[in-house]
């Protein structure tokens, strides 16, 4: 069964899905995106993802490509046509197609692309049981990483560097040694006292949707959270370390820059957060 994509009003075969060469997403990375997990036949935390999409569009002065009520219908239809029970649905909105000019074009309709693909939850659970590794890289991104922009070249380079080092994620680190976030995830530590620590999301990092839901999961489990910065050194000395994102939920980190975290194995608190996640996350039928 061929994959199906939605491109500007049409459902087309994935292999035949194209955008114009002067789409501003291609020319200027002038666009935003969202990724929602599809789990057990549900789209996870979709209202929060659409709320963040609205914020990103507003910050960049891009209009909605369709009405807010229609977009969930399109997302569900793409998931249905691709027979995705577990996986992800990706949507991208750009300012649209116009002759190449830095200033905003007048009267251009935004472009919308929606795709979906399957994933193996058993493979993800296996990764969580063994944990993953991260490396650290200097922060070199633009100041507005709170906007979920498609301009991700620094993230691409960081994650490529991680792959070459035998790791699965890279953490961006400020000049003072404070961890910001991962190339595609938020960063967390758990102190020796069992307190969850993650950097505040008012500025300097993306306010992850999974991150937000984990606050509710932690409350359900009776865990305390502190929103503050933490250093690479503090992370290496932590009881547990993990990342969060729509595609990883809560994924244990077992090594940072080659140094093991605690005993080098996933911690029980992280795994309990992961296990309880779907009991708390909002689930919209796909």
């Amino acid at each position: 069964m061929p994959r199906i994509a939605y491109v500007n009003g049409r459902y087309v075969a994935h292999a035949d899905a194209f955008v114009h060469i002067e789409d501003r997403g291609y020319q200027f990375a002038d666009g935003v995106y969202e990724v929602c997990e599809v789990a057990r036949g549900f789209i996870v935390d979709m209202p929060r993802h659409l709320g963040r999409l609205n914020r990103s569009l507003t910050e960049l002065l891009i209009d909605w490509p369709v009405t807010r009520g229609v977009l969930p219908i399109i997302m569900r239809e793409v998931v249905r046509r691709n027979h995705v029970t577990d996986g992800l649905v990706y949507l991208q909105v750009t300012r649209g197609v116009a002759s190449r000019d830095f200033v905003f074009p007048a009267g251009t309709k935004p472009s919308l692309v929606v795709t979906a693909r399957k994933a193996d939850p058993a493979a993800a659970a296996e990764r969580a049981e063994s944990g993953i590794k991260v490396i650290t890289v200097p922060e070199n991104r633009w100041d507005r990483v709170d906007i979920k922009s498609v301009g991700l070249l620094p993230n691409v380079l960081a994650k490529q560097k991680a792959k070459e080092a035998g790791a699965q994620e890279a953490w961006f680190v400020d000049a003072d040694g404070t961890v910001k976030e991962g190339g595609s995830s938020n960063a967390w530590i758990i102190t020796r006292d069992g307190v969850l620590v993650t950097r505040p999301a008012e500025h300097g990092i993306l306010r992850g949707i999974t991150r937000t839901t984990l606050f509710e999961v932690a409350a359900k489990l009776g865990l305390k959270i502190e929103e503050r910065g933490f250093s690479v050194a503090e992370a290496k000395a932590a009881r547990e370390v993990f990342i969060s994102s729509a595609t990883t939920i809560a994924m244990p980190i077992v090594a940072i820059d080659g140094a093991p975290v605690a005993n080098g194995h996933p911690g029980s608190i992280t795994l309990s957060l992961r296990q309880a996640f779907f009991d708390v996350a909002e689930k919209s039928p796909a």
Side-chain angles (χ1 to χ4, degrees):
M1 182 70 68
R3 289 178 63 193
I4 302 297
Y6 175 93
V7 182
N8 294 327
R10 299 175 58 233
Y11 296 95
V12 297
H14 193 272
D16 299 323
F18 301 102
V19 295
H20 195 278
I21 60 170
E22 288 193 309
D23 188 288
R24 288 177 64 91
Y26 175 67
Q27 298 281 0
F28 297 111
D30 189 1
V32 299
Y33 74 102
E34 282 290 333
V35 181
C36 298
E37 181 183 13
V38 181
R40 309 169 193 178
F42 295 94
I43 301 177
V44 179
D45 285 330
M46 182 162 61
R48 283 178 169 163
H49 280 282
L50 295 181
R52 186 172 64 181
L53 174 66
N54 183 65
R55 181 183 182 278
S56 294
L57 292 171
T58 300
E59 290 293 313
L60 295 184
L61 303 177
I62 298 175
D63 293 331
W64 276 73
V66 295
T67 65
R68 189 161 175 171
V70 167
L71 186 52
I73 297 172
I74 295 171
M75 293 168 65
R76 291 188 178 100
E77 182 63 14
V78 172
V79 170
R80 185 191 70 80
R81 291 190 184 214
N82 286 280
H83 306 284
V84 176
T85 301
D86 294 285
L88 60 85
V89 56
Y90 174 93
L91 62 97
Q92 178 172 301
V93 182
T94 74
R95 202 176 303 276
V97 176
S99 296
R100 191 179 189 279
D101 190 359
F102 283 88
V103 299
F104 295 171
T108 298
K109 181 177 175 56
S111 297
L112 172 63
V113 171
V114 183
T115 58
R117 71 168 187 251
K118 298 177 181 178
D120 182 1
E126 186 176 342
R127 283 195 300 274
E129 288 297 326
S130 57
I132 65 173
K133 301 174 183 178
V134 301
I135 64 167
T136 59
V137 296
E139 175 61 282
N140 63 347
R141 301 171 299 168
W142 77 317
D143 192 51
R144 294 304 309 277
V145 293
D146 56 298
I147 300 171
K148 201 166 177 67
S149 162
V150 297
L152 295 172
L153 186 56
N155 305 60
V156 168
L157 295 175
K159 291 179 81 73
Q160 177 63 26
K161 187 175 181 180
K163 179 180 179 181
E164 293 170 359
Q168 293 74 42
E169 179 59 299
W171 277 354
F172 290 103
V173 178
D174 281 336
D176 65 358
T178 302
V179 175
K180 294 192 77 171
E181 61 184 344
S184 59
S185 62
N186 289 129
W188 301 69
I189 65 171
I190 302 175
T191 69
R192 296 293 178 179
D193 297 328
V195 177
L196 279 65
V197 180
T198 189
R199 185 171 177 139
E202 282 73 22
H203 181 76
I205 69 168
L206 182 71
R207 187 181 292 276
I209 301 302
T210 301
R211 173 189 182 277
T212 300
T213 301
L214 283 173
F215 275 66
E216 298 176 6
V217 178
K220 178 181 178 181
L221 298 178
L223 299 170
K224 180 182 177 182
I225 293 180
E226 292 181 3
E227 286 190 90
R228 63 170 176 82
F230 59 85
S231 67
V232 175
E234 186 178 4
K236 290 180 177 180
R239 172 177 170 176
E240 299 180 34
V241 179
F242 68 95
I243 58 171
S244 64
S245 72
T247 55
T248 62
I249 310 175
M251 183 62 66
I253 301 300
V254 297
I256 302 171
D257 290 333
V261 174
N263 63 1
H265 296 280
S268 59
I269 295 177
T270 303
L271 294 178
S272 68
L273 289 166
R274 183 180 178 85
Q275 185 173 5
F277 181 81
F278 290 110
D279 295 332
V280 174
E282 184 169 350
K283 298 174 281 294
S284 302

